[in-house]
Short mmCIF file of all heavy atoms in Angstrom, two decimals:
data_model
loop_
_atom_site.label_atom_id
_atom_site.label_comp_id
_atom_site.label_asym_id
_atom_site.label_seq_id
_atom_site.Cartn_x
_atom_site.Cartn_y
_atom_site.Cartn_z
N SER A 233 -6.07 -34.30 -1.32
CA SER A 233 -5.27 -35.45 -0.98
C SER A 233 -4.73 -35.37 0.42
O SER A 233 -4.86 -34.30 1.04
CB SER A 233 -4.09 -35.61 -1.94
OG SER A 233 -3.14 -34.57 -1.70
N ALA A 234 -4.20 -36.39 0.91
CA ALA A 234 -3.72 -36.36 2.26
C ALA A 234 -2.28 -35.75 2.40
O ALA A 234 -1.70 -35.64 3.42
CB ALA A 234 -3.69 -37.82 2.87
N VAL A 235 -1.71 -35.48 1.21
CA VAL A 235 -0.39 -34.93 1.14
C VAL A 235 -0.39 -33.49 1.62
O VAL A 235 -1.24 -32.69 1.27
CB VAL A 235 0.22 -34.98 -0.29
CG1 VAL A 235 1.61 -34.32 -0.32
CG2 VAL A 235 0.24 -36.40 -0.79
N LYS A 236 0.57 -33.17 2.49
CA LYS A 236 0.59 -31.84 3.02
C LYS A 236 0.98 -30.82 1.91
O LYS A 236 1.86 -31.14 1.09
CB LYS A 236 1.60 -31.74 4.18
CG LYS A 236 1.26 -32.43 5.46
CD LYS A 236 2.29 -32.24 6.51
CE LYS A 236 1.95 -32.96 7.77
NZ LYS A 236 3.01 -32.74 8.84
N GLN A 237 0.35 -29.69 1.97
CA GLN A 237 0.77 -28.62 1.01
C GLN A 237 1.99 -27.89 1.48
O GLN A 237 2.07 -27.51 2.62
CB GLN A 237 -0.42 -27.61 0.84
CG GLN A 237 -0.19 -26.63 -0.19
CD GLN A 237 -1.38 -25.70 -0.36
OE1 GLN A 237 -1.26 -24.58 -0.82
NE2 GLN A 237 -2.58 -26.26 -0.06
N LYS A 238 2.92 -27.74 0.65
CA LYS A 238 4.23 -27.09 0.95
C LYS A 238 4.08 -25.58 0.65
O LYS A 238 3.81 -25.21 -0.44
CB LYS A 238 5.35 -27.67 0.16
CG LYS A 238 5.64 -29.18 0.58
CD LYS A 238 6.82 -29.72 -0.25
CE LYS A 238 7.05 -31.18 0.20
NZ LYS A 238 8.26 -31.75 -0.55
N ILE A 239 4.33 -24.78 1.70
CA ILE A 239 4.36 -23.34 1.60
C ILE A 239 5.71 -22.82 1.75
O ILE A 239 6.36 -23.00 2.81
CB ILE A 239 3.39 -22.77 2.60
CG1 ILE A 239 1.96 -23.35 2.47
CG2 ILE A 239 3.30 -21.23 2.49
CD1 ILE A 239 1.02 -22.94 3.56
N ALA A 240 6.16 -22.18 0.68
CA ALA A 240 7.49 -21.41 0.77
C ALA A 240 7.20 -19.97 1.02
O ALA A 240 6.51 -19.29 0.21
CB ALA A 240 8.24 -21.64 -0.53
N ILE A 241 7.85 -19.43 2.05
CA ILE A 241 7.66 -18.02 2.39
C ILE A 241 8.98 -17.32 2.14
O ILE A 241 10.04 -17.73 2.74
CB ILE A 241 7.26 -17.77 3.84
CG1 ILE A 241 5.89 -18.46 4.10
CG2 ILE A 241 7.16 -16.35 4.20
CD1 ILE A 241 5.32 -18.29 5.50
N ILE A 242 8.96 -16.36 1.30
CA ILE A 242 10.23 -15.57 0.95
C ILE A 242 10.22 -14.25 1.70
O ILE A 242 9.37 -13.43 1.59
CB ILE A 242 10.28 -15.29 -0.60
CG1 ILE A 242 10.10 -16.53 -1.38
CG2 ILE A 242 11.54 -14.54 -0.95
CD1 ILE A 242 11.22 -17.56 -1.19
N GLY A 243 11.22 -14.14 2.58
CA GLY A 243 11.40 -13.00 3.41
C GLY A 243 10.95 -13.23 4.90
O GLY A 243 10.21 -14.16 5.20
N GLY A 244 11.42 -12.36 5.76
CA GLY A 244 11.22 -12.53 7.18
C GLY A 244 10.75 -11.28 7.88
O GLY A 244 11.01 -11.10 9.07
N GLY A 245 10.12 -10.33 7.17
CA GLY A 245 9.52 -9.12 7.79
C GLY A 245 8.24 -9.41 8.48
O GLY A 245 7.79 -10.53 8.61
N VAL A 246 7.59 -8.34 8.95
CA VAL A 246 6.36 -8.43 9.66
C VAL A 246 5.28 -9.17 8.79
O VAL A 246 4.61 -10.05 9.33
CB VAL A 246 5.81 -7.08 10.09
CG1 VAL A 246 4.49 -7.23 10.73
CG2 VAL A 246 6.76 -6.44 11.10
N GLY A 247 5.13 -8.80 7.50
CA GLY A 247 4.14 -9.42 6.75
C GLY A 247 4.29 -10.96 6.61
O GLY A 247 3.38 -11.76 6.76
#
Side-chain angles (χ1 to χ4, degrees):
S233 71
V235 178
K236 293 183 181 181
Q237 184 175 154
K238 295 181 178 180
I239 302 171
I241 299 180
I242 305 299
V246 172

